[in-house]
Amino acid sequence: MSARHHALFKRFPLTSTAQLSVGIVPVPYHIYDGSGIFVGGTADLSAVTDLLRTEQLTPLRTTDDRALMGIWICDFVDASLDPHHELQFSIFVSRGASAPIPAHPVGLLSAMLTRPDLQMLCHGLWNNTPKVVAYNRELLSLNARSTTSQIVHTATSASFSFADSSTGQALLHGQLAVPHRTSPALTRALLSQMGFLRTLQVTWQPAVRMQVVNPLGVGLTHNGIAEAYTKNATNIIREFDSSTDQLTITSLPYANLGFRPQIIQFMTGFKFVYLNPR
């Protein structure tokens, strides 16, 4: 079966078009195939709180008083807006006071799958085609900018580099070792935090739902919520290992947030639907 005929796209089909500065585009945003890397970790809570001082959101914190942050590095090879790359810096937030998340490498992944109060603020975003930048800015109210990027996958590693196209500023570069499978220890840790029944529910559900929030000041005058749904063919996770992994953030303000990578998720057969914010 073609990836474009997956149940996710039957549930959320292309229903309309929109006129943007770059021309007419289909709506909603579909990713039919590709690969993604998610690097989750923590950042300095006071620095993140200051970064979000103009937003109507509260950073989620861990039990050791760190903020939760993630980096997405994506190579979308088949999409409704044509193939493209994406670099995203995300801050995990709630609309008010919320219980802290366990200070454990899998704590963020578990919370993303089980905590209904968790929302993902797409704070920094770069794409490598004008069409996708325009779509993200003009329809999704995201602070998308243009990047010059390179992503290279081998059987044992993934390397990447991103620079801002308009300024030439380096944003992020690195190389990560790719394992063959998730370690049994991490599987046990996820089972422990999520519970066996909830783990089964997540495993068998047709797609994982995420609430993505836009920053203020791009298009919308409020932190809108966009429903996003994803389904991957494979998911492999492991802990970040500074002896084998290289990750350098040079983009401001993210380079100054004291980000500590904890967990890496490697995804293939990436399928994704992003609905317009409300």
Side-chain angles (χ1 to χ4, degrees):
M1 181 180 71
S2 167
R4 291 179 176 240
H5 295 105
H6 189 273
L8 180 61
F9 306 115
K10 293 180 179 179
R11 181 183 176 190
F12 301 106
L14 298 176
T15 55
S16 61
T17 60
Q19 178 68 56
L20 302 182
S21 59
V22 294
I24 297 174
V25 296
V27 177
Y29 178 84
H30 281 186
I31 301 297
Y32 304 110
D33 192 17
S35 60
I37 301 169
F38 174 70
V39 183
T42 67
D44 181 83
L45 181 59
S46 61
V48 171
T49 300
D50 185 61
L51 178 68
L52 303 188
R53 64 187 180 279
T54 61
E55 307 288 345
Q56 301 161 352
L57 303 163
T58 301
L60 280 174
R61 62 183 180 87
T62 62
T63 50
D64 60 352
D65 284 325
R66 298 274 296 172
L68 290 156
M69 177 177 165
I71 302 171
W72 300 86
I73 301 150
C74 300
D75 181 7
F76 300 133
V77 299
D78 187 10
S80 57
L81 300 177
D82 303 325
H84 59 279
H85 290 169
E86 178 161 307
L87 169 64
Q88 181 184 150
F89 292 95
S90 301
I91 307 294
F92 293 87
V93 298
S94 66
R95 296 283 168 164
S98 187
I101 289 170
H104 187 281
V106 301
L108 175 55
L109 289 181
S110 175
M112 290 170 69
L113 295 170
T114 61
R115 289 276 295 260
D117 59 324
L118 179 146
Q119 297 176 347
M120 187 177 77
L121 172 64
C122 178
H123 195 276
L125 180 64
W126 283 264
N127 300 105
N128 67 335
T129 71
K131 184 187 293 186
V132 181
V133 171
Y135 191 106
N136 282 331
R137 291 193 69 89
E138 297 170 31
L139 282 185
L140 302 182
S141 193
L142 300 174
N143 188 24
R145 286 158 281 183
S146 179
T147 183
T148 302
S149 54
Q150 183 177 37
I151 302 174
V152 177
H153 292 277
T154 72
T156 58
S157 70
S159 59
F160 44 85
S161 63
F162 292 83
D164 188 283
S165 296
S166 62
T167 65
Q169 177 195 4
L171 302 170
L172 179 87
H173 66 270
Q175 182 168 310
L176 307 173
V178 179
H180 295 297
R181 62 186 178 94
T182 298
S183 73
L186 285 182
T187 300
R188 289 193 297 269
L190 273 173
L191 279 168
S192 175
Q193 292 206 18
M194 293 175 57
F196 180 72
L197 289 179
R198 182 58 180 143
T199 302
L200 280 181
Q201 291 172 349
V202 169
T203 301
W204 290 106
Q205 65 187 2
V208 174
R209 172 181 171 269
M210 175 65 69
Q211 297 182 85
V212 186
V213 183
N214 59 273
L216 296 177
V218 180
L220 296 177
T221 57
H222 67 282
N223 295 117
I225 298 175
E227 302 288 343
Y229 298 84
T230 186
K231 185 69 174 179
N232 304 312
T234 66
N235 289 282
I236 299 174
I237 64 171
R238 67 170 180 82
E239 290 191 54
F240 185 91
D241 184 348
S242 59
S243 68
T244 59
D245 301 320
Q246 301 171 10
L247 183 72
T248 302
I249 304 171
T250 48
S251 171
L252 297 175
Y254 311 107
N256 293 334
L257 296 182
F259 179 64
R260 297 176 188 168
Q262 293 181 308
I263 202 83
I264 312 172
Q265 180 181 6
F266 299 92
M267 298 158 277
T268 65
F270 199 107
K271 299 173 182 64
F272 184 67
V273 171
Y274 195 123
L275 305 181
N276 286 8
R278 62 180 193 279

mmCIF file of all heavy atoms in Angstrom, residues 14 31 43 80 84 90 97 122 129 136 149 160 165 167 169 182 199 211 214 219-220 233 245 248 250 267:
data_model
loop_
_atom_site.group_PDB
_atom_site.id
_atom_site.type_symbol
_atom_site.label_atom_id
_atom_site.label_comp_id
_atom_site.label_asym_id
_atom_site.label_seq_id
_atom_site.Cartn_x
_atom_site.Cartn_y
_atom_site.Cartn_z
ATOM 1 N N LEU A 14 -6.449 15.857 2.322
ATOM 2 C CA LEU A 14 -6.306 17.216 1.782
ATOM 3 C C LEU A 14 -7.701 17.690 1.400
ATOM 4 O O LEU A 14 -8.356 17.105 0.534
ATOM 5 C CB LEU A 14 -5.383 17.207 0.570
ATOM 6 C CG LEU A 14 -3.932 16.755 0.826
ATOM 7 C CD1 LEU A 14 -3.163 16.696 -0.490
ATOM 8 C CD2 LEU A 14 -3.234 17.678 1.814
ATOM 9 N N ILE A 31 2.919 14.852 5.658
ATOM 10 C CA ILE A 31 4.194 14.192 5.395
ATOM 11 C C ILE A 31 3.884 12.722 5.173
ATOM 12 O O ILE A 31 3.331 12.056 6.058
ATOM 13 C CB ILE A 31 5.191 14.347 6.564
ATOM 14 C CG1 ILE A 31 5.477 15.815 6.853
ATOM 15 C CG2 ILE A 31 6.471 13.575 6.267
ATOM 16 C CD1 ILE A 31 6.141 16.566 5.732
ATOM 17 N N ALA A 43 16.769 21.970 29.976
ATOM 18 C CA ALA A 43 17.448 23.256 29.868
ATOM 19 C C ALA A 43 17.282 24.015 31.178
ATOM 20 O O ALA A 43 16.466 23.645 32.038
ATOM 21 C CB ALA A 43 16.884 24.061 28.701
ATOM 22 N N SER A 80 3.149 16.758 0.984
ATOM 23 C CA SER A 80 2.192 17.547 0.206
ATOM 24 C C SER A 80 2.797 18.858 -0.284
ATOM 25 O O SER A 80 2.320 19.434 -1.264
ATOM 26 C CB SER A 80 0.946 17.831 1.044
ATOM 27 O OG SER A 80 1.293 18.502 2.253
ATOM 28 N N HIS A 84 11.463 18.238 1.801
ATOM 29 C CA HIS A 84 12.121 19.354 2.498
ATOM 30 C C HIS A 84 12.732 18.877 3.806
ATOM 31 O O HIS A 84 12.427 17.791 4.303
ATOM 32 C CB HIS A 84 11.137 20.504 2.766
ATOM 33 C CG HIS A 84 9.942 20.129 3.587
ATOM 34 N ND1 HIS A 84 8.833 19.499 3.053
ATOM 35 C CD2 HIS A 84 9.673 20.285 4.911
ATOM 36 C CE1 HIS A 84 7.931 19.305 3.994
ATOM 37 N NE2 HIS A 84 8.416 19.757 5.136
ATOM 38 N N SER A 90 11.969 23.050 20.273
ATOM 39 C CA SER A 90 10.691 22.995 20.965
ATOM 40 C C SER A 90 10.883 23.148 22.472
ATOM 41 O O SER A 90 11.829 22.595 23.042
ATOM 42 C CB SER A 90 9.982 21.668 20.695
ATOM 43 O OG SER A 90 9.760 21.480 19.313
ATOM 44 N N ALA A 97 -0.061 25.985 36.173
ATOM 45 C CA ALA A 97 0.713 25.120 37.059
ATOM 46 C C ALA A 97 0.455 23.663 36.713
ATOM 47 O O ALA A 97 -0.669 23.268 36.416
ATOM 48 C CB ALA A 97 0.343 25.401 38.512
ATOM 49 N N CYS A 122 6.409 25.290 19.442
ATOM 50 C CA CYS A 122 7.367 25.325 18.334
ATOM 51 C C CYS A 122 7.971 26.731 18.311
ATOM 52 O O CYS A 122 7.447 27.639 17.673
ATOM 53 C CB CYS A 122 6.647 24.997 17.023
ATOM 54 S SG CYS A 122 7.720 25.065 15.573
ATOM 55 N N THR A 129 12.936 25.118 1.994
ATOM 56 C CA THR A 129 12.259 25.512 0.759
ATOM 57 C C THR A 129 11.342 26.697 1.043
ATOM 58 O O THR A 129 10.704 26.756 2.111
ATOM 59 C CB THR A 129 11.428 24.367 0.151
ATOM 60 O OG1 THR A 129 10.270 24.128 0.969
ATOM 61 C CG2 THR A 129 12.252 23.088 0.026
ATOM 62 N N ASN A 136 4.361 27.591 6.833
ATOM 63 C CA ASN A 136 4.487 27.610 8.289
ATOM 64 C C ASN A 136 4.259 29.000 8.866
ATOM 65 O O ASN A 136 3.647 29.143 9.929
ATOM 66 C CB ASN A 136 5.862 27.083 8.698
ATOM 67 C CG ASN A 136 5.943 25.573 8.640
ATOM 68 O OD1 ASN A 136 4.951 24.884 8.826
ATOM 69 N ND2 ASN A 136 7.126 25.052 8.369
ATOM 70 N N SER A 149 20.795 23.410 4.478
ATOM 71 C CA SER A 149 20.921 22.257 5.365
ATOM 72 C C SER A 149 21.466 21.043 4.643
ATOM 73 O O SER A 149 21.373 20.918 3.413
ATOM 74 C CB SER A 149 19.558 21.919 5.968
ATOM 75 O OG SER A 149 18.588 21.738 4.950
ATOM 76 N N PHE A 160 24.389 15.954 10.331
ATOM 77 C CA PHE A 160 23.524 17.053 9.883
ATOM 78 C C PHE A 160 24.187 18.391 10.178
ATOM 79 O O PHE A 160 25.026 18.522 11.085
ATOM 80 C CB PHE A 160 22.170 16.974 10.597
ATOM 81 C CG PHE A 160 22.282 16.690 12.068
ATOM 82 C CD1 PHE A 160 22.491 17.691 12.998
ATOM 83 C CD2 PHE A 160 22.219 15.381 12.527
ATOM 84 C CE1 PHE A 160 22.617 17.418 14.349
ATOM 85 C CE2 PHE A 160 22.351 15.082 13.880
ATOM 86 C CZ PHE A 160 22.552 16.117 14.792
ATOM 87 N N SER A 165 19.772 30.864 6.113
ATOM 88 C CA SER A 165 20.055 31.278 4.734
ATOM 89 C C SER A 165 20.260 32.771 4.596
ATOM 90 O O SER A 165 21.050 33.227 3.760
ATOM 91 C CB SER A 165 18.909 30.835 3.805
ATOM 92 O OG SER A 165 18.807 29.442 3.758
ATOM 93 N N THR A 167 21.299 35.051 6.988
ATOM 94 C CA THR A 167 22.431 35.627 7.722
ATOM 95 C C THR A 167 23.711 34.815 7.578
ATOM 96 O O THR A 167 24.794 35.320 7.874
ATOM 97 C CB THR A 167 22.095 35.721 9.220
ATOM 98 O OG1 THR A 167 21.935 34.393 9.750
ATOM 99 C CG2 THR A 167 20.811 36.508 9.445
ATOM 100 N N GLN A 169 24.404 32.486 9.533
ATOM 101 C CA GLN A 169 24.735 32.019 10.875
ATOM 102 C C GLN A 169 24.538 30.517 10.984
ATOM 103 O O GLN A 169 23.497 29.981 10.613
ATOM 104 C CB GLN A 169 23.859 32.711 11.919
ATOM 105 C CG GLN A 169 24.089 32.214 13.340
ATOM 106 C CD GLN A 169 22.993 32.621 14.311
ATOM 107 O OE1 GLN A 169 22.002 33.216 13.926
ATOM 108 N NE2 GLN A 169 23.168 32.285 15.580
ATOM 109 N N THR A 182 16.128 -0.456 20.296
ATOM 110 C CA THR A 182 16.040 0.183 21.600
ATOM 111 C C THR A 182 16.614 -0.759 22.659
ATOM 112 O O THR A 182 16.351 -1.965 22.636
ATOM 113 C CB THR A 182 14.577 0.508 21.935
ATOM 114 O OG1 THR A 182 14.074 1.422 20.961
ATOM 115 C CG2 THR A 182 14.461 1.140 23.311
ATOM 116 N N THR A 199 1.144 1.501 27.718
ATOM 117 C CA THR A 199 2.129 1.216 26.675
ATOM 118 C C THR A 199 1.493 0.460 25.515
ATOM 119 O O THR A 199 1.742 0.768 24.339
ATOM 120 C CB THR A 199 3.309 0.414 27.245
ATOM 121 O OG1 THR A 199 3.914 1.155 28.315
ATOM 122 C CG2 THR A 199 4.355 0.154 26.177
ATOM 123 N N GLN A 211 -0.319 18.248 20.822
ATOM 124 C CA GLN A 211 -0.805 19.620 20.753
ATOM 125 C C GLN A 211 0.411 20.539 20.540
ATOM 126 O O GLN A 211 1.267 20.638 21.409
ATOM 127 C CB GLN A 211 -1.529 20.010 22.033
ATOM 128 C CG GLN A 211 -2.776 19.203 22.313
ATOM 129 C CD GLN A 211 -3.472 19.685 23.566
ATOM 130 O OE1 GLN A 211 -4.260 20.624 23.550
ATOM 131 N NE2 GLN A 211 -3.176 19.031 24.684
ATOM 132 N N ASN A 214 1.801 27.696 18.728
ATOM 133 C CA ASN A 214 2.579 28.705 18.008
ATOM 134 C C ASN A 214 3.016 29.821 18.951
ATOM 135 O O ASN A 214 2.319 30.143 19.916
ATOM 136 C CB ASN A 214 1.761 29.316 16.868
ATOM 137 C CG ASN A 214 0.490 29.981 17.361
ATOM 138 O OD1 ASN A 214 -0.533 29.316 17.489
ATOM 139 N ND2 ASN A 214 0.538 31.276 17.649
ATOM 140 N N GLY A 219 1.656 35.564 13.391
ATOM 141 C CA GLY A 219 0.396 35.821 12.699
ATOM 142 C C GLY A 219 -0.721 35.974 13.695
ATOM 143 O O GLY A 219 -1.440 36.973 13.715
ATOM 144 N N LEU A 220 -0.863 34.977 14.561
ATOM 145 C CA LEU A 220 -1.902 35.006 15.580
ATOM 146 C C LEU A 220 -1.473 35.852 16.775
ATOM 147 O O LEU A 220 -0.290 35.945 17.101
ATOM 148 C CB LEU A 220 -2.213 33.591 16.054
ATOM 149 C CG LEU A 220 -2.804 32.632 15.015
ATOM 150 C CD1 LEU A 220 -2.977 31.242 15.620
ATOM 151 C CD2 LEU A 220 -4.134 33.151 14.485
ATOM 152 N N ALA A 233 7.056 4.059 10.954
ATOM 153 C CA ALA A 233 7.261 2.631 10.709
ATOM 154 C C ALA A 233 8.171 2.031 11.771
ATOM 155 O O ALA A 233 7.950 0.915 12.245
ATOM 156 C CB ALA A 233 7.847 2.419 9.316
ATOM 157 N N ASP A 245 28.377 10.711 20.573
ATOM 158 C CA ASP A 245 27.475 11.662 19.924
ATOM 159 C C ASP A 245 28.039 13.077 19.977
ATOM 160 O O ASP A 245 28.594 13.496 20.997
ATOM 161 C CB ASP A 245 26.105 11.651 20.606
ATOM 162 C CG ASP A 245 25.451 10.288 20.563
ATOM 163 O OD1 ASP A 245 25.549 9.621 19.510
ATOM 164 O OD2 ASP A 245 24.841 9.879 21.574
ATOM 165 N N THR A 248 26.091 20.255 18.499
ATOM 166 C CA THR A 248 26.507 21.617 18.819
ATOM 167 C C THR A 248 25.429 22.595 18.380
ATOM 168 O O THR A 248 25.086 22.677 17.196
ATOM 169 C CB THR A 248 27.831 21.973 18.121
ATOM 170 O OG1 THR A 248 28.829 21.035 18.512
ATOM 171 C CG2 THR A 248 28.279 23.382 18.492
ATOM 172 N N THR A 250 24.477 26.400 17.893
ATOM 173 C CA THR A 250 25.063 27.736 17.770
ATOM 174 C C THR A 250 23.995 28.798 17.541
ATOM 175 O O THR A 250 24.304 29.989 17.522
ATOM 176 C CB THR A 250 26.086 27.770 16.615
ATOM 177 O OG1 THR A 250 25.510 27.163 15.454
ATOM 178 C CG2 THR A 250 27.341 27.001 16.980
ATOM 179 N N MET A 267 13.448 7.881 13.950
ATOM 180 C CA MET A 267 12.178 7.494 13.338
ATOM 181 C C MET A 267 12.352 7.324 11.838
ATOM 182 O O MET A 267 12.991 8.153 11.184
ATOM 183 C CB MET A 267 11.115 8.568 13.606
ATOM 184 C CG MET A 267 10.795 8.764 15.086
ATOM 185 S SD MET A 267 10.051 10.383 15.451
ATOM 186 C CE MET A 267 11.536 11.419 15.557
#
